[in-house]
Amino acid sequence: MRFDVIDLPPSVGLPTLILLCVLICALVLEHFRERSRGRAAEERALALLKQWLSPAQLAQYQKYGHFEVTGCHSGKRYRIRASQQMNVDELDEHSARTVALCFGPEGDLPIGDVMLAQKIALENDELAALAVANRGNPQQSPARFA
């Protein structure tokens, strides 16, 4: 089969081919517009997250791509990483991960919005956040949760 030649029935005329090309172009343009909107949403979400971070958290995030928060009830430290799943680590006194956690708002949200929701939840209602969190194996590498 040759892909450089399209065999169409003789009944397909030039106006039909032009319409087909226009529709294909419209679909391609819409695809790129949608991707652009997604990138813009991610950028806005990360900008908002950075506004809510303390100076120390912002420095951690800019240097490592994650930041730490302190639970309001237990005083435990948690590391929030930029990942879609199992991105919250409960830390021990040596900053080693003891538990990997997964919780966040519903919906397909930009990662910055998810991280901000996790930060606010742990700092303001840690027990409720932990009550809905899924727990993972702390021995697995964080990359395996991504």
Side-chain angles (χ1 to χ4, degrees), residues 50-62 67 119:
K50 289 175 184 178
Q51 290 174 0
W52 277 73
L53 295 178
S54 70
Q57 290 170 330
L58 180 59
Q60 284 178 328
Y61 181 73
Q62 289 174 330
F67 57 91
K119 168 189 166 49

Side-chain angles (χ1 to χ4, degrees), residues 27 38 45 47 52-53 60 67 71 81 84 104 106 118 124 139:
L27 288 171
W52 277 73
L53 295 178
Q60 284 178 328
F67 57 91
R81 293 178 284 105
Q84 292 292 340
E106 290 184 18
Q118 292 166 330
N124 293 283
Q139 305 308 316

